[in-house]
């Protein structure tokens, strides 16, 4: 693995996990030393993170982790809705019904309260199956960028057992609609899922006093 790729992956993981918090200063010399790379590959890694919108340059040698607030989250979900509803419609046309029928059965059986890791692994498999079914490199690249930011958003929000249980049911419905080749139902079920997810995230952030997170149910994506 190239040094720049190694530095990028390390910093990405730390940003997504919250080890590097919003506003954290990433000094070029300090980070290069800490990560065991020279300054050229570190600059390449920081450039990629800047293109992802995860860091911003304050001076020629100082970069900071970008903030994320309720406005950012709403805008992220606007893009996510457009992409994922389109992906759901396309997948209903192109996917192997048996694969998504199996995923629907697995969502019906998973219990995130007892096996959170298994639940998130199933979500990752669903996303991968959706991307493969869509078979559109431009769409999946855009979704990959959105998902990069979603990891940060989920870390900021609290786990809510009731919301996780509802999310399982919503994913099962999406998978079943794709398996049934019903593109409109798949897109609508995706819309409902994203609306509910955004309302829950903003409510969680409002409880944590994140700026702009109040009024979640009034401003979240409109009526589902």
């Amino acid at each position: 693995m190239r040094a720049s790729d190694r530095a990028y992956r390390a910093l990405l993981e730390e940003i997504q996990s919250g080890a590097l918090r919003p506003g954290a200063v990433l000094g070029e010399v300090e980070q290069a030393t800490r990560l065991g790379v020279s300054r050229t590959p570190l600059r390449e890694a920081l450039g990629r993170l800047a293109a992802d919108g995860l860091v911003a340059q304050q001076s020629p040698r100082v970069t900071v982790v970008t903030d994320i607030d309720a406005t950012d989250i709403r805008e992220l979900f606007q893009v996510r809705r457009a992409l994922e509803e389109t992906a759901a419609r396309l997948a209903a046309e192109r996917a192997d019904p048996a694969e998504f029928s199996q995923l629907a059965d697995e969502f019906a059986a998973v219990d995130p309260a007892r096996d959170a890791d298994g639940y998130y692994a199933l979500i990752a498999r669903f996303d991968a199956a959706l991307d493969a079914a869509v078979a559109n490199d431009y769409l999946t690249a855009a979704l990959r960028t959105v998902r990069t930011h979603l990891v940060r958003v989920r870390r900021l929000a609290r786990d809510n057992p009731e919301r996780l249980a509802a999310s399982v049911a919503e994913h099962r419905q999406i998978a079943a609609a794709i398996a049934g080749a019903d593109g409109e139902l798949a897109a609508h079920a995706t819309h409902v899922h994203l609306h509910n997810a955004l309302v829950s995230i903003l409510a969680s952030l409002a409880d944590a006093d994140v700026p702009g997170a109040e009024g979640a149910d009034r401003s979240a994506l409109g009526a589902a």
Side-chain angles (χ1 to χ4, degrees):
M1 182 186 298
R2 296 189 312 156
S4 61
D5 292 336
R6 182 158 44 85
Y8 172 79
R9 291 190 182 186
L11 291 170
L12 176 63
E13 168 61 27
E14 290 174 344
I15 292 169
Q16 290 182 326
S17 70
L20 288 173
R21 303 285 295 174
V25 176
L26 305 178
E28 188 176 287
V29 174
E30 293 81 3
Q31 294 300 318
T33 301
R34 183 176 73 87
L35 297 173
V37 299
S38 66
R39 287 157 66 180
T40 296
L42 178 70
R43 290 190 195 111
E44 293 177 6
L46 292 175
R48 290 174 62 185
L49 291 167
D52 292 337
L54 297 175
V55 304
Q57 196 168 33
Q58 282 193 337
S59 73
R61 298 188 184 280
V62 177
T63 302
V64 299
V65 178
T66 54
D67 291 330
I68 187 164
D69 61 18
T71 298
D72 296 320
I73 293 168
R74 290 187 185 98
E75 292 175 353
L76 177 66
F77 268 76
Q78 287 171 355
V79 175
R80 187 185 180 194
R81 180 177 64 174
L83 295 173
E84 291 199 6
E85 288 183 22
T86 298
R89 283 192 182 93
L90 291 174
E93 296 173 4
R94 303 173 180 177
D96 175 6
E99 180 177 18
F100 280 86
S101 180
Q102 175 65 31
L103 286 166
D105 289 344
E106 292 187 48
F107 277 117
V110 72
D111 182 355
R114 295 186 176 183
D115 185 11
D117 289 342
Y119 166 68
Y120 287 115
L122 181 56
I123 293 290
R125 285 174 48 214
F126 174 83
D127 287 343
L130 191 71
D131 291 349
V134 167
N136 182 317
D137 290 343
Y138 297 103
L139 181 56
T140 53
L143 278 170
R144 193 176 306 116
T145 298
V146 168
R147 290 166 186 158
T148 295
H149 288 275
L150 281 173
V151 175
R152 295 182 76 196
V153 171
R154 291 187 185 118
R155 294 283 184 179
L156 290 172
R158 298 173 306 167
D159 279 340
N160 181 327
E162 291 183 1
R163 175 60 207 145
L164 288 176
S167 178
V168 169
E170 291 158 8
H171 276 92
R172 184 187 63 77
Q173 185 172 19
I174 297 167
I178 293 172
D182 190 334
E184 287 308 308
L185 179 58
H188 178 71
T190 299
H191 180 95
V192 171
H193 166 64
L194 296 180
H195 173 83
N196 292 341
L198 179 57
V199 168
S200 178
I201 287 169
L202 292 180
S204 177
L205 296 185
D207 290 342
D209 295 325
V210 173
E214 63 281 353
D217 56 349
R218 291 194 299 273
S219 56
L221 287 181

